[in-house]
Structure formats: structure tokens, C-alpha cells
Amino acid sequence: MYPTLAKDRIVVVLYVHNRPQYLKVVVESLSQVVGISETLLIVSHDGYIEEMNKIIDGIKFCQVKQIYATYSPHLFSDSFPGVSANDCKEKDDAGEKHCEGNPDQYGNHRLPKIVSLKHHWWWMMNTVWNGLRETRDHSGHILFIEEDHFIFPNAYRNLQVLISLKPKKCPDCYAANLAPSDVNSRGEGWATLIAERMGNVGYSFNRTVWKKIHNKAREFCFFDDYNWDITMWATVYPSFGSPVYTLRGPRTSAVHFGRCGLHQGQEENKACIDNGMVNINVEEPDTVSNIELNWEVHTYKNQPGYKAGFKGWGGWGDNRDRLLCLSFAKMYHSTGTASPFHCMRRRSFVMLLESNIVACFFVSYQ
């Protein structure tokens, strides 16, 4: 239906879990976005859930590609990275229980459904930027959204404007955002652009920024916090050596509406959305680009939030998780040696994990 993509397209990546009642809202909002038919929508799942898949299969407003996290508890239900029979639980003492695992800084052992969130995000980033045929050579911005982000009709056009203005208006900005870093804010309504700390709702950046992030794989993978965004704020961004600002408009173009956890799933669908409905007020200014080219930039400095020095919420102390995370950073890069999986049209990576577990990662290019 959409055989050609715009040359200056901003690829959109939608990161999803198991909340179909949320996904329906996001997809409906995306269907109203002006310009969405010009680009590619990539949907990254952390497992194959039939109801989620059917919703994506029903999209008729743009090109769509679905990808599925390969090392997920959904696939490894009785072994790492899922739950193994010999795994330590809660605050078990590995020596006394003769169980496997390393506790986090608070003495708690891993919970697969929790750590999978960070694994999925990191796997997705590496796969989108370095693995997929459609995006591995894409140098422009990629927009990342989640299944509980309502996207306004003007989001894509506003983002195009922000990206074009960023080099002149805020050359030190790393990204462009659709929403304020404070998820409860709808924007200031000023006649200015806003430069502030990177938000986690509707954020976009280019390959140059991705390379900086990728170079900090060890910092990302060894920080004891199961949240990818807090890990970025507390250790990755501070390691860049200068403030990491993002540029946005004074009026939000995306809203976070989630009310329940990422892995509460379908059993909680009645509790996640009030009366099964999401009431987002889309006003006339939200339907067309509302950013002026001549606006100056207001910079927020010393904003509250997670930053360098925060030690993390834990949940990420197991060496197996850390090594698996590091392997994702290398899975699309040549090891310099031949492997049993190598062939003319395939790159592979083999890494020896603890306990003599060998994890093999490969991608076949058609």
C-alpha cells in the first residue's frame, strides 16, 4: 500500500509488552498522525502474544515491520534468561542453598519478568540501529515510543521541524522530544523552544548519538538498576562529559497514559484504563505543526530527577544478565574470527557465558 518511503523519513519504533488494551489506543492515535504514511513503523515485542500481533497486523496506514526479542522469558520459560530450577530466589544465600545467581546491591536475586524490560530495550536498540536491513544504514533520527504513549496528530510534523532547527537553535542538544521530561506536564505554552534533560516519552536521536550510547555498553550493562531509562540518566548520559539536552516544543505532542505495570498483562486489563477508555483531549493546535521557526530557546538547567551519583534501584546484580546484555552490544559486529555459524550471507557472534552456557546470536540477511 505504501511502496515508497520519504527520503528524509523519521523511522518510528514502538516498544511493546503485553498490554493489548493500551496498544489499541496507541495504534489508533498513530493512525491520525499527519505524515505517518511517509515512514516505516517498527514494532518491537518482548514475546509473541497473539492478541498483540493481531492489532499490529491490522495496521493499514503505513509500512510496518515486527521484530521479536530473541532472548526473552517468553521463549525461555524454564531456563535462563527465564526461570531456571536452580535459580536463587529473593534473598537466598547461594552458598547455603547451592543455587545459582548473584544478588543485587540490596541482596535480592533476579526476577526474569523485571530484568527482561532492560534486556528488551537494549536488544531493540542494537537490532534497530545495527541489525535490520531497513535501518542499519539509516543516519537520520529514529523516534522511539511505547505502548502507553498517546501520539498527537501533529507529532511527526513537529518532530521534523525540531530536527531541522536543532543544529542551529541547540547544537549541543543530543535529541528531540515530543513531550516534556516531566510526564505530568503538558508543556509551558510559551512562544519558545525548550531545551531540557532527555525525556522518555517520544524521544528521537540519530546514529551519531547512538554510537555514543553504544560505546557505553559496559556502563549500561553493569549498572544495578532494572530500568533502562534510569540507567541512562544515572550512568550513561553523565559519562558523556557534558549535559545531555533534548529539544522540544512548548506544547506536548505525546502523552503518557499508562496506569499499570509493563508485565501485569492481560489479567489486569480492566484495572489499567479507566472504564476501558483513555480520554486524551486533542485540541485544534494539536492537529497541525505548532512550532515557529523564529522562536528562541529556553534552557532548563539543574532539573530534578535521576542523575550521576544515584546508585540504582537494584534488580540487576546477576552476572548472567550483565553478560547477556554485553553480548547484545556485540551481536551485529564482526568478532574477527570464523565461527560455526558463519556463511556468506550471515554474521554471527558467539559468547561464552558463566556456567558453561554458550549463547549464540545470529541474524540472517535476505
Side-chain angles (χ1 to χ4, degrees), residues 136 215 226 236 261 283 291 314 326:
R136 64 176 183 251
N215 286 338
Y226 64 90
V236 175
E283 300 177 351
I291 295 173
L326 278 180

Side-chain angles (χ1 to χ4, degrees), residues 33-34 152-159 252-253 285-290:
V33 171
V34 178
F152 287 179
N154 65 0
Y156 192 79
R157 294 298 186 225
N158 269 355
L159 194 58
T252 191
S253 290
D286 305 319
T287 62
V288 294
S289 180
N290 52 18

Side-chain angles (χ1 to χ4, degrees), residues 128-129 132-140 207:
V128 168
W129 286 108
L132 295 184
R133 179 184 65 238
E134 295 86 351
T135 50
R136 64 176 183 251
D137 296 320
H138 183 78
S139 59
R207 183 169 296 276

